[in-house]
Amino acid sequence: MESWSVEQVCNWLKLRNLGELVPKFREEEISGAALLALNDRMVQQLVKKIGHQAVLMDLIKKYQQQKSGLESLTYCGETASQKFPEVISGKNLKSFFVRHKMLQWTSSYVLPDFPYDVKCILAEKKCPDHSMRIRIIEFLQADMTKYLEGSLYPNSQQYNIVVNALLQAYPFLDEDGNGFLLWKRALKDRFKYVRRPIEDDEQVLRNKCKFGHRRGQSRKSSLAENTLDDVQGQVEEEPAHLKGSAMDLHIKWLNREYMKTQRNWEEVENRMNVTIEIRRKMISNKAPLKDVLRLFPFLRCPYQLFREFQLLTHMDIHKKTVEILEIYSENILSLYVVRNNPINIMLQENLKQHTEEDVLKYMKMTAACLLLPEVFGDDSSLFAAVNEEVKAVTPVLEVKNPFNMNSCEFALYIEREELAQLDDCSMALAALVAAFHVFDIPCPKRIHRTLNFLESLVFEVRNPAFLP
C-alpha cells in the first residue's frame, strides 16, 4: 500500500464503498504513503461524515496491524524454526508462508506483455470488440494462473488487483464507470470455464467435492443438480455458509417453486430468509448476476426484490417511493427546466383527453418520475428508456407508452436483460433504486445526483437532498 499512487488509493476507496471521499483525496493528493501516515486529526479534517471517519481509520489500523504482524511473524518464524523446529514446522508454517507469498504477489503485480494484436488495439485507445475482449481475458487468466503457480482459485483481492491494474493502464476500458465490474466478472467466468472440465487436478477435485459436485456429472444436467457446483468459486473462502446438502435442498425447492403458477409465498419467504447468507456472499463477491438469478429466481419478482431491500435496510422501498412521487410530482412538473421536455409535452397532450382525478394523478406521477434526471442535469438514458431500446448495462427502466392507460408497460433491465415486469411508475422507480442496493451495483456518475435525491428521502436522511 505504501507504493500506491493517488489513483490506486481512490480505487481502493471505491471498492470499500467510500467513493464519496474520492474527490477530496484527489484534491489533497493522498497517495498510499500519505494514507498510512494519516492521524485522527487529519482524518477529521479530510472526511466530514463521522461514519466514514470510523470506517477509514479502522481500515488503516487493520492494514498496519496486518503489516506489523506479518513482519514479526516472519522474524519469529526464522528464529523459532532454528530453536524449535517441531513447533514452527508443518501445516502452520506452510499456511503462513502461503499467505505471505500471496501478499507479496498482490502488492507487486504488473500486467503481462500482451500479444501484438492486442497491443495495437490498446495503443489506439479503441474499445475492443467481443473477440478482442476474450483475448485479453484469456491472457490475464493465464498470467494469473502462472503467478498462482498453477492454482485456478484466485481470491477476491487478487481479482481486484489485476482488474485495477488493467483499468489504470488503459482507462478507456472503464466504460461508463462500470468497467471494473464487467472486467472482473469476465475474468471470474473465465476461471470457472477453465475449471469445469478438469478431472485430474487435486485442488479442483477437492473443491468440487467440498461443494457437492459429483464426479463425471454432465454440465447439461438441470440447475437443481448443479446448484452448489455453480457457486463454488464465489464462496470457497467461507464454505461454512453452504451448510452442506441442506442449503442445496432449499435452493432446489426455490427453483421448482418458481416454475409453478400457484406459489406458496409464505414458504418462499422462509426459504429466502434461510438462504440470504449465501446469496449476500455471492453478491458481495461480485458473482455474475446471471448466476445469482439462476440460483435465486425469485429476485425477479418485484415484491421479493423489495423484501430483500427491506431485509438489508429495514425500509419499505415501495411505500417510500409512492410517498416521494405524491409529494414532489407537482413541484417537478412546475420547474422551468422540464417545461419544453418531450415527456412533459406528451403529458400535457394526454391530460386534455381525461378528466378522472385518479387518471390525472397517475399521469403526473409517471411524468415526474421520468423527468427526474432532467431536473438534476443527469443522463436520462441511464435512468429510463422511453419508447426506445435499452442500452445501459446498469439498472435502467424500459417504459413503453407511459401515458396510455391501456398499453403502458414498465420493466427493469440490468445488463441489457429484462429482470422484472412492473405495474406502474412507483413500482418501477422503487425497483430501480432497490436493484442498485440488492445487487451491490455501483451508481454511474452521470445519474448519481438523481439517485442521491431518491435515496436521501428513502433512508430518511436528516438533511435530504433537495430539488434544484
Side-chain angles (χ1 to χ4, degrees):
M1 184 180 280
E2 292 93 334
S3 60
W4 283 4
S5 65
V6 174
E7 279 306 311
Q8 285 175 308
V9 170
C10 292
N11 287 329
W12 178 78
L13 291 171
K14 291 175 185 176
L15 290 173
R16 281 150 184 81
N17 296 322
L18 295 172
E20 291 182 27
L21 309 183
V22 167
K24 188 66 175 176
F25 271 60
R26 284 202 180 111
E27 180 185 341
E28 299 293 338
E29 297 183 357
I30 305 294
S31 63
L35 178 66
L36 296 177
L38 294 176
N39 56 34
D40 291 352
R41 183 180 57 80
M42 293 176 183
V43 170
Q44 290 171 5
Q45 291 178 346
L46 194 64
V47 182
K48 292 182 179 180
K49 295 183 180 178
I50 294 176
H52 287 170
Q53 292 175 11
V55 171
L56 185 61
M57 288 303 298
D58 184 58
L59 289 170
I60 295 172
K61 183 179 178 182
K62 284 179 179 177
Y63 177 82
Q64 290 171 337
Q65 288 175 343
Q66 183 185 48
K67 182 187 175 187
S68 61
L70 182 62
E71 290 172 349
S72 62
L73 276 173
T74 304
Y75 173 76
C76 291
E78 291 172 352
T79 56
S81 62
Q82 297 170 0
K83 296 180 180 180
F84 309 104
E86 70 282 358
V87 175
I88 200 70
S89 61
K91 188 175 181 180
N92 291 337
L93 183 62
K94 182 180 179 181
S95 174
F96 162 72
F97 280 114
V98 167
R99 178 163 176 76
H100 176 60
K101 191 168 187 178
M102 182 198 74
L103 289 171
Q104 285 184 320
W105 183 87
T106 55
S107 64
S108 61
Y109 180 80
V110 292
L111 287 174
D113 189 20
F114 287 112
Y116 178 74
D117 57 336
V118 176
K119 283 182 181 179
C120 291
I121 294 294
L122 295 176
E124 295 174 4
K125 296 186 178 181
K126 290 182 178 178
C127 238
D129 59 18
H130 180 67
S131 61
M132 189 57 67
R133 281 174 176 269
I134 292 174
R135 290 266 289 150
I136 294 172
I137 288 296
E138 287 176 346
F139 213 76
L140 288 176
Q141 181 267 318
D143 189 62
M144 288 179 72
T145 304
K146 179 188 72 176
Y147 270 86
L148 292 166
E149 296 185 347
S151 172
L152 295 174
Y153 289 92
N155 61 30
S156 186
Q157 182 190 16
Q158 289 167 337
Y159 281 119
N160 292 344
I161 292 289
V162 172
V163 176
N164 269 330
L166 178 69
L167 296 186
Q168 285 174 17
Y170 307 105
F172 58 91
L173 296 178
D174 188 9
E175 302 168 15
D176 294 327
N178 300 304
F180 179 86
L181 180 64
L182 297 176
W183 283 99
K184 184 176 178 180
R185 283 183 178 175
L187 194 53
K188 282 190 170 186
D189 285 345
R190 177 62 190 173
F191 269 97
K192 287 177 67 177
Y193 176 80
V194 171
R195 288 196 299 260
R196 281 175 183 170
I198 293 177
E199 296 290 343
D200 56 356
D201 182 273
E202 182 181 350
Q203 185 186 19
V204 174
L205 291 177
R206 187 168 61 250
N207 278 279
K208 285 184 176 181
C209 180
K210 183 194 301 183
F211 293 99
H213 180 80
R214 296 177 182 177
R215 188 164 185 164
Q217 188 178 45
S218 169
R219 295 302 301 180
K220 294 183 180 179
S221 56
S222 68
L223 167 66
E225 294 171 345
N226 288 283
T227 301
L228 293 185
D229 183 47
D230 284 339
V231 300
Q232 61 180 353
Q234 304 303 326
V235 293
E236 63 200 20
E237 295 175 20
E238 293 186 32
H241 291 303
L242 290 176
K243 310 289 186 188
S245 60
M247 190 63 68
D248 194 23
L249 292 175
H250 288 305
I251 295 174
K252 289 176 181 178
W253 186 92
L254 287 168
N255 278 270
R256 287 196 300 267
E257 193 70 10
Y258 184 74
M259 302 304 293
K260 297 179 181 179
T261 52
Q262 297 294 326
R263 296 161 178 165
N264 183 347
W265 288 108
E266 183 178 355
E267 185 62 19
V268 167
E269 292 187 358
N270 290 337
R271 296 194 185 237
M272 288 292 281
N273 282 345
V274 172
T275 57
I276 189 170
E277 192 173 358
I278 183 175
R279 189 162 59 252
R280 300 319 306 171
K281 178 68 176 177
M282 287 182 68
I283 292 172
S284 67
N285 282 346
K286 305 301 181 185
L289 180 64
K290 61 182 180 181
D291 288 353
V292 177
L293 295 176
R294 193 164 64 237
L295 299 184
F296 303 101
F298 278 101
L299 289 178
R300 292 180 177 274
C301 301
Y303 283 103
Q304 284 301 311
L305 184 67
F306 300 157
R307 189 171 177 277
E308 187 92 351
F309 182 90
Q310 191 165 12
L311 289 173
L312 296 173
T313 65
H314 307 290
M315 290 290 178
D316 186 338
I317 182 74
H318 188 214
K319 179 182 176 182
K320 287 286 183 184
T321 307
V322 172
E323 292 173 357
I324 292 169
L325 289 177
E326 287 180 343
I327 293 171
Y328 285 92
S329 57
E330 291 289 350
N331 290 339
I332 291 169
L333 296 176
S334 66
L335 294 173
Y336 178 80
V337 70
V338 303
R339 188 166 299 172
N340 297 318
N341 187 278
I343 290 174
N344 194 30
I345 294 172
M346 196 188 312
L347 168 68
Q348 299 306 323
E349 292 175 353
N350 281 272
L351 288 177
K352 298 173 184 177
Q353 303 172 19
H354 298 275
T355 56
E356 302 90 339
E357 186 177 342
D358 289 344
V359 174
L360 298 178
K361 179 181 177 181
Y362 170 84
M363 287 186 174
K364 289 180 179 180
M365 287 174 62
T366 301
C369 171
L370 299 178
L371 288 168
L372 269 174
E374 301 294 335
V375 172
F376 290 94
D378 282 339
D379 186 346
S380 58
S381 68
L382 298 178
F383 185 84
V386 182
N387 296 329
E388 294 179 355
E389 180 184 355
V390 169
K391 296 179 181 178
V393 295
T394 51
V396 65
L397 300 176
E398 182 192 57
V399 185
K400 295 181 180 178
N401 308 316
F403 304 114
N404 188 320
M405 301 301 293
N406 298 318
S407 62
C408 61
E409 295 179 13
F410 296 86
L412 175 66
Y413 275 67
I414 305 180
E415 296 179 357
R416 301 190 185 95
E417 297 289 337
E418 183 180 303
L419 182 79
Q421 291 281 340
L422 306 155
D423 294 343
D424 53 37
C425 65
S426 59
M427 181 182 282
L429 189 57
L432 179 68
V433 176
F436 280 100
H437 286 268
V438 169
F439 298 112
D440 194 20
I441 298 173
C443 171
K445 293 179 182 178
R446 289 183 288 156
I447 200 68
H448 178 264
R449 283 170 291 192
T450 302
L451 290 181
N452 182 52
F453 168 74
L454 294 169
E455 289 173 356
S456 69
L457 295 173
V458 169
F459 293 120
E460 300 177 349
V461 175
R462 183 172 296 178
N463 295 312
F466 292 103
L467 292 171

